[in-house]
Amino acid sequence: MIKFKECVSVIHGLNFTSGLHLDVTTRWNSTYIMLENAIKYRKAFEYLKATDHAYKYCPSVDEWGRAERICEFSYPFYETTNLISGMFYPTSNLYFLQIYHIQCVLMKSLRSEYELLRSMGEKMINKFKKYWKKYSVILAFGAILDPRIKISTLELMYEEIDAETTKGKVEHVKEIIQKLMKRNHQAEVSSGKNPFDTYLKEPLLSKDCFEDLDVLEWWKLYESCYLKLSIMARELLSIPITMVASESAFSTGAHVINKYRSRTLPENVEAVICTRNWNKGFVDGERKGEDVNPQDARRGGVSTFGSDSNFIDLEVDN
């Protein structure tokens, strides 16, 4: 490693800030990260080979070319997983754009001049079709309620992904969202002022604001124009595609649940116990003055419903 760093320092324009990464069997994105970083230091590896005859693992020209092609092919999947695993911005409206992007990448790989990419693409597109059959209608709503996409763009994406099922899927989405609109906005619909139809008739936002648009902020801004529709839009757009952080999504190792997802808040536990008491009452023996669990007596008669295993201690010992 010392010799490699010396080689890096000799070559103009290279620095060792990003470092090198090894492939990890339990992290599927590690291959991409390994190749991406190694390619940056290609000249350093070649210089090391020329100056250190003990180093015999420098990739050949063909192997470097293969690494570059695999790295380029893998990048969209790495980027998409990071994007849809974000936690500080809405993601449900991004679903179809990213699915469409992945589909385009896979279709392009089938036309590649390289056998390796064609073989990878064929296997991946078969799995893609399998998952596409189970797409989420709710996430389709997210795309429709994005003023940059709406139904017109959604139809084009459906067409590109699977032309045979486009018509059926679009009609299914329209039918469900119209039912949802009628249920939540019956007064507006019956008066002939359907806010959803009005929204769809408005032109798509220009490409100038495509990248920087905060879709939730947009619906807040236009709340006066689409009062109840904006509420529904914000509720739907607030649904994350996944609750799994990108680092966890990439890993097939053991998942660690943090404290915010592994416990019930004390006030919620207390509410559950009270509700169960209201629904089921106390055991007959307790009503007749039979033996009561000392812990129940200390807490003012909160019942364990005849089983110590159901008891949840809400107090914290000092």
Side-chain angles (χ1 to χ4, degrees), residues 4-224:
F4 181 76
K5 288 183 178 180
E6 291 174 353
C7 294
V8 171
S9 63
V10 170
I11 300 173
H12 179 71
L14 283 184
N15 59 70
F16 203 68
T17 55
S18 61
L20 298 171
H21 292 262
L22 295 177
D23 196 11
V24 181
T25 56
T26 58
R27 298 180 64 81
W28 68 265
N29 66 323
S30 64
T31 303
Y32 165 76
I33 296 174
M34 175 187 68
L35 294 175
E36 181 195 34
N37 283 274
I39 290 169
K40 294 177 182 178
Y41 295 104
R42 176 176 177 175
K43 292 182 179 179
F45 281 112
E46 292 174 342
Y47 188 82
L48 180 63
K49 178 184 178 181
T51 56
D52 185 357
H53 297 294
Y55 175 61
K56 303 182 183 297
Y57 302 102
C58 185
S60 65
V61 174
D62 290 340
E63 288 171 334
W64 279 118
R66 189 185 311 159
E68 290 173 349
R69 290 191 291 272
I70 294 175
C71 188
E72 181 182 1
F73 176 74
S74 303
Y75 176 70
F77 303 96
Y78 173 80
E79 184 183 42
T80 294
T81 306
N82 279 326
L83 183 64
I84 66 177
S85 300
M87 294 184 175
F88 302 104
Y89 52 85
T91 57
S92 60
N93 59 309
L94 305 176
Y95 173 75
F96 272 95
L97 287 176
Q98 295 306 311
I99 291 293
Y100 175 71
H101 185 203
I102 292 298
Q103 194 262 359
C104 291
V105 171
L106 294 177
M107 293 302 295
K108 182 181 178 182
S109 70
L110 298 181
R111 301 188 297 270
S112 174
E113 60 181 301
Y114 302 106
E115 169 61 26
L116 176 63
L117 295 186
R118 290 199 303 272
S119 176
M120 290 171 61
E122 288 174 0
K123 294 177 182 177
M124 294 174 74
I125 205 163
N126 287 334
K127 185 165 288 189
F128 176 89
K129 290 179 179 178
K130 172 186 173 183
Y131 287 110
W132 176 242
K133 293 179 181 178
K134 301 178 180 180
Y135 81 106
S136 171
V137 176
I138 293 295
L139 294 177
F141 294 169
I144 293 172
L145 293 170
D146 189 320
R148 301 165 294 183
I149 305 173
K150 299 186 179 180
I151 285 184
S152 56
T153 308
L154 189 69
E155 287 177 334
L156 292 175
M157 289 190 286
Y158 272 131
E159 183 73 25
E160 288 288 334
I161 294 175
D162 189 354
E164 294 181 359
T165 62
T166 298
K167 185 177 179 180
K169 288 186 182 296
V170 172
E171 290 302 320
H172 180 57
V173 170
K174 286 182 179 179
E175 179 184 356
I176 294 179
I177 201 169
Q178 288 291 358
K179 287 181 179 179
L180 187 62
M181 286 296 301
K182 288 179 180 179
R183 179 179 301 174
N184 289 278
H185 314 283
Q186 190 63 46
E188 294 173 332
V189 173
S190 59
S191 65
K193 298 179 180 178
N194 190 326
F196 183 62
D197 290 339
T198 304
Y199 162 73
L200 292 179
K201 289 178 182 178
E202 292 292 328
L204 298 177
L205 294 184
S206 63
K207 293 183 179 180
D208 296 336
C209 60
F210 201 90
E211 295 293 332
D212 301 325
L213 179 71
D214 184 332
V215 66
L216 289 177
E217 188 66 30
W218 188 91
W219 277 106
K220 182 179 179 181
L221 183 64
Y222 285 86
E223 184 177 9
S224 58

Side-chain angles (χ1 to χ4, degrees), residues 238-253:
S238 297
I239 301 173
I241 294 179
T242 175
M243 288 295 290
V244 179
S246 59
E247 287 300 308
S248 298
F250 283 123
S251 177
T252 59

